[in-house]
Amino acid sequence: MLAGHHGAGRVLQGRVIPGVGPVSGPVPAAHPQEAPQPRRPPRKPLPEGGDNAKKSRPGACGGASAQRLPGADGEVLVAMESYRGFLALLVSALPVGFLAVLFTLIWVLHYREGLGWDGTALEFNWHPVLAVTGLIFIQGIAIIVYRLPWTWKCSKFLMKSIHAGLSAVATLLAVISLVAVFDFHNAGSIPNMYSLHSWVGLIAVILYVLQFLIGFFIFLLPWAPLSLREVIMPIHVYSGLFLFGTAIATALMGLTEKLIFALKDPAYHSFPPEGVFANTLGLLILLFGALIFWIVSRPQWKRPKESDSTLPKSNCGNTERMEGAVAISSGSNTDRSDSELNNEGATRKRNLGLDDAGQRSTM
């Protein structure tokens, strides 16, 4: 018999569709079923403190405590704690060190007749200026350059280069300061190397030169094997801090020695203005060293470990998080698209089956 159409349905009369039975009324056309939405995973509960418990990664200004964030290589990066405390110490240490250098210049220019390079006392005055600037102020900055959180986004090789550059400048200034004092002593027929200040100072400069050469050839240049670096690294860190403290002690000894020899009328024990000013310089040097040692001794302000083979990256960690988010988003979108395609395919098969059955019944 002929099948007619009424509205949205198809009428099949007098025929039996296998698996369905006799059809006596209009059969509504099959509509595509809506694809079921994939179930979203349950949202993880926030840590204690709510959204305020989420802290920033290293180098992000504003995070005050640490949050453990897994890296792409499975390592755990720990953000720096007490960020405001670190900034307070850093802002205090740098001006104190700069004031120590400035006080040294004022001392030799105002009280010690100035600077020169002619074998006289003016050439000797270069010795305290260069020693304080190089072995104390610049070396202190070189020590804490790895602790600056905004440099953690930079590559390790770049920070090594900056550390080596500062150490090279400090080494050069220390050597020139020794040349100045030996030249002055030889020109004035003054004996060399008779005081404790000269013994400790010469040993400190020699060891600092060796420290710089070992660090340059083992850590900066890619020649030394990783096993050798792991052995030398603790020694390199300890010797750097030891030499920094030795330089401060040597500067205080030399400052006292110079004041005792130079101040005759009025004498040093009568609190002359130059003596008080030089004593203040010694306190600034000591305070700068104390602040540097405190910054270095805090483990929560240490640069996160990373492989030496890491390529330079502009936003370390942020790229990994973005890639992970993109991967998760693309994965969920892919799963959703696959489920929708499967549901649409099943719907089309059911529609085709009904259409074939209707065509057979019409024929």
Side-chain angles (χ1 to χ4, degrees), residues 137-156:
F137 181 61
I138 296 180
Q139 186 185 179
I141 297 177
I143 290 175
I144 65 172
V145 71
Y146 288 110
R147 302 298 177 114
L148 304 178
W150 50 85
T151 64
W152 295 354
K153 298 182 292 184
C154 304
S155 66
K156 188 68 174 291

Side-chain angles (χ1 to χ4, degrees), residues 8-23:
R10 180 185 301 229
V11 179
L12 302 177
Q13 297 179 356
R15 302 296 295 175
V16 177
I17 299 176
V20 178
V23 179

Side-chain angles (χ1 to χ4, degrees), residues 80-82 85-86 89 147 152 291-303:
M80 191 181 68
E81 296 179 347
S82 303
F86 174 83
L89 286 174
R147 302 298 177 114
W152 295 354
L291 293 174
I292 295 298
F293 274 112
W294 182 261
I295 292 175
V296 174
S297 62
R298 300 300 94 190
Q300 65 268 27
W301 296 338
K302 187 176 181 180
R303 178 186 174 96

Side-chain angles (χ1 to χ4, degrees), residues 179-239:
V179 173
V181 70
F182 276 106
D183 194 14
F184 166 71
H185 282 187
N186 295 334
S189 300
I190 301 175
N192 293 311
M193 303 301 299
Y194 64 88
S195 65
L196 180 62
H197 166 72
S198 60
W199 287 16
V200 178
L202 183 61
I203 293 174
V205 173
I206 293 175
L207 292 179
Y208 192 77
V209 172
L210 294 177
Q211 166 90 348
F212 169 73
L213 294 176
I214 292 174
F216 181 81
F217 287 105
I218 293 182
F219 297 105
L220 186 62
L221 300 181
W223 295 347
L226 183 60
S227 57
L228 179 61
R229 295 185 180 187
E230 293 178 350
V231 173
I232 298 298
M233 177 56 74
I235 302 175
H236 182 75
V237 173
Y238 172 79
S239 60

Side-chain angles (χ1 to χ4, degrees), residues 83-363:
Y83 186 76
R84 294 181 180 177
F86 174 83
L87 286 182
L89 286 174
L90 181 65
V91 171
S92 301
L94 294 181
V96 169
F98 180 77
L99 280 178
V101 176
L102 183 62
F103 270 49
T104 307
L105 281 171
I106 295 175
W107 177 48
V108 300
L109 293 176
H110 180 69
Y111 293 102
R112 294 288 98 202
E113 300 178 355
L115 298 169
W117 200 271
D118 52 3
T120 63
L122 300 180
E123 184 176 353
F124 174 84
N125 291 339
W126 281 108
H127 176 69
V129 172
L130 297 179
V132 172
T133 304
L135 289 179
I136 296 178
F137 181 61
I138 296 180
Q139 186 185 179
I141 297 177
I143 290 175
I144 65 172
V145 71
Y146 288 110
R147 302 298 177 114
L148 304 178
W150 50 85
T151 64
W152 295 354
K153 298 182 292 184
C154 304
S155 66
K156 188 68 174 291
F157 179 78
L158 176 61
M159 301 314 301
K160 285 182 179 180
S161 301
I162 296 175
H163 177 76
L166 294 173
S167 300
V169 174
T171 303
L172 179 62
L173 296 181
V175 172
I176 296 176
S177 70
L178 286 184
V179 173
V181 70
F182 276 106
D183 194 14
F184 166 71
H185 282 187
N186 295 334
S189 300
I190 301 175
N192 293 311
M193 303 301 299
Y194 64 88
S195 65
L196 180 62
H197 166 72
S198 60
W199 287 16
V200 178
L202 183 61
I203 293 174
V205 173
I206 293 175
L207 292 179
Y208 192 77
V209 172
L210 294 177
Q211 166 90 348
F212 169 73
L213 294 176
I214 292 174
F216 181 81
F217 287 105
I218 293 182
F219 297 105
L220 186 62
L221 300 181
W223 295 347
L226 183 60
S227 57
L228 179 61
R229 295 185 180 187
E230 293 178 350
V231 173
I232 298 298
M233 177 56 74
I235 302 175
H236 182 75
V237 173
Y238 172 79
S239 60
L241 296 176
F242 171 75
L243 291 176
F244 179 66
T246 303
I248 293 176
T250 306
L252 297 180
M253 287 190 294
L255 189 62
T256 304
E257 180 182 309
K258 180 64 177 179
L259 292 175
I260 292 175
F261 289 161
L263 296 180
K264 298 299 183 182
D265 188 19
Y268 184 30
H269 61 78
S270 63
F271 293 94
E274 181 180 357
V276 175
F277 186 85
N279 289 345
T280 305
L281 168 60
L283 292 178
L284 289 175
I285 294 175
L286 187 62
L287 179 59
F288 177 72
L291 293 174
I292 295 298
F293 274 112
W294 182 261
I295 292 175
V296 174
S297 62
R298 300 300 94 190
Q300 65 268 27
W301 296 338
K302 187 176 181 180
R303 178 186 174 96
K305 292 183 179 181
E306 63 176 293
S307 175
D308 290 337
S309 60
T310 303
L311 296 176
K313 295 178 289 185
S314 59
N315 291 320
C316 302
N318 293 335
T319 305
E320 295 174 358
R321 287 195 295 174
M322 290 177 63
E323 291 176 354
V326 170
I328 295 173
S329 177
S330 60
S332 62
N333 292 336
T334 303
D335 296 339
R336 188 179 303 169
S337 300
D338 292 342
S339 62
E340 291 176 357
L341 290 175
N342 293 334
N343 293 329
E344 290 179 1
T347 304
R348 289 178 181 177
K349 290 181 180 179
R350 288 193 296 268
N351 293 339
L352 289 176
L354 290 175
D355 290 341
D356 293 340
Q359 292 176 2
R360 287 197 299 269
S361 62
T362 304
M363 293 178 64

